[in-house]
Amino acid sequence: GQQVMQIPQYQHVQEGEDFTTYCNSSTTLSNIQWYKQRPGGHPVFLIQLVKSGEVKKQKRLTFQFGEAKKNSSLHITATQTTDVGTYFCAGEMGNFNKFYFGSGTKLNVKP
Amino acid sequence: SQTIHQWPATLVQPVGSPLSLECTVEGTSNPNLYWYRQAAGRGLQLLFYSVGIGQISSEVPQNLSASRPQDRQFILSSKKLLLSDSGFYLCAWRLAGGGRTQYFGPGTRLLVL
């Protein structure tokens, strides 16, 4: 069964509002990655989190990795229309060279 | 710099026909290679991954197969396509030995009719 759950499936926001997507794993992750896929495009790597409780920021994006390394979140402050796309988390379990992707959160930003 | 190629970009095939999708990587050696499938509006499902020539690990039972005849070539095949094989097929590579990023190719959109 699916090992990495991601919510919400869709999010519609007004430009300037904040956005958050959450990922949860049934097992402890060695690391978690976040990707963005624009409509019609392929996933593009955003960031990787490795340490328990890690927080990383990229401009208006804040990524968190839970203390138990089973959950993660991506928060976007003051969304812009350029943020439109689907955001995926991908968890790696152990060192098995494979990732389990969440189902993605599709973000739509109204100007 | 490294680049990853996939072809064809789009493909329309009848049910029961064979399939061959190709992925090649340039600018790196001995990469880990991955095939994913993305159904419309859905997440990415890992189909196969490979850590070396001739080494293929399958994640889900299906009528698809993968091969890695050369270090930087990864092929996805089927002898007889099913309607449920329609989707967006993505190849990705990653540095061996704990490299972080997976780099995705442009993908192949497959429609089985």
Side-chain angles (χ1 to χ4, degrees):
Chain A
Q2 189 169 358
Q3 296 179 309
V4 178
M5 305 297 294
Q6 188 173 356
I7 57 170
Q9 189 174 2
Y10 302 98
Q11 187 80 57
H12 301 272
V13 301
Q14 200 71 37
E15 190 172 22
E17 293 181 338
D18 292 356
F19 159 78
T20 306
T21 175
Y22 302 89
C23 278
N24 282 287
S25 170
S26 55
T27 58
T28 302
L29 302 171
S30 57
N31 64 81
I32 193 160
Q33 298 184 349
W34 286 91
Y35 292 80
K36 178 182 179 181
Q37 184 177 24
R38 294 184 183 275
H42 59 274
V44 175
F45 175 84
L46 294 177
I47 208 161
Q48 176 172 281
L49 304 171
V50 179
K51 300 176 183 177
S52 170
E54 190 170 13
V55 178
K56 287 187 176 180
K57 292 190 175 184
Q58 289 180 348
K59 298 182 180 178
R60 294 178 294 105
L61 278 62
T62 302
F63 304 85
Q64 292 187 318
F65 201 11
E67 293 291 340
K69 301 182 74 172
K70 287 187 175 182
N71 58 77
S72 181
S73 65
L74 158 59
H75 180 81
I76 302 178
T77 304
T79 55
Q80 300 174 359
T81 55
T82 53
D83 295 326
V84 165
T86 302
Y87 293 84
F88 292 97
C89 61
E92 184 173 19
M93 298 167 192
N95 187 28
F96 301 117
N97 295 305
K98 57 186 179 182
F99 286 84
Y100 294 96
F101 276 75
S103 54
T105 296
K106 187 173 183 179
L107 172 64
N108 186 36
V109 180
K110 301 176 191 176
Chain B
S1 62
Q2 302 90 1
T3 55
I4 178 169
H5 304 279
Q6 280 187 252
W7 63 90
T10 60
L11 192 59
V12 181
Q13 292 284 97
V15 169
S17 64
L19 173 74
S20 181
L21 303 181
E22 189 162 345
C23 170
T24 58
V25 181
E26 297 177 355
T28 188
S29 296
N30 194 33
N32 291 343
L33 295 172
Y34 305 83
W35 276 113
Y36 291 90
R37 176 170 59 204
Q38 185 176 30
R42 303 284 297 276
L44 281 72
Q45 180 186 31
L46 179 62
L47 302 175
F48 301 95
Y49 71 96
S50 171
V51 298
I53 296 174
Q55 299 179 58
I56 308 294
S57 295
S58 175
E59 282 299 293
V60 293
Q62 58 208 321
N63 71 322
L64 298 170
S65 61
S67 62
R68 185 170 177 174
Q70 300 180 46
D71 181 44
R72 289 169 289 179
Q73 183 185 29
F74 206 21
I75 297 172
L76 185 69
S77 304
S78 174
K79 292 182 179 178
K80 289 185 178 182
L81 283 169
L82 306 172
L83 288 174
S84 57
D85 291 324
S86 293
F88 188 35
Y89 287 84
L90 290 155
C91 179
W93 75 271
R94 181 194 190 198
L95 283 173
R100 300 194 305 173
T101 307
Q102 286 185 84
Y103 298 92
F104 283 84
T108 295
R109 297 193 183 277
L110 172 66
L111 178 60
V112 182
L113 299 175

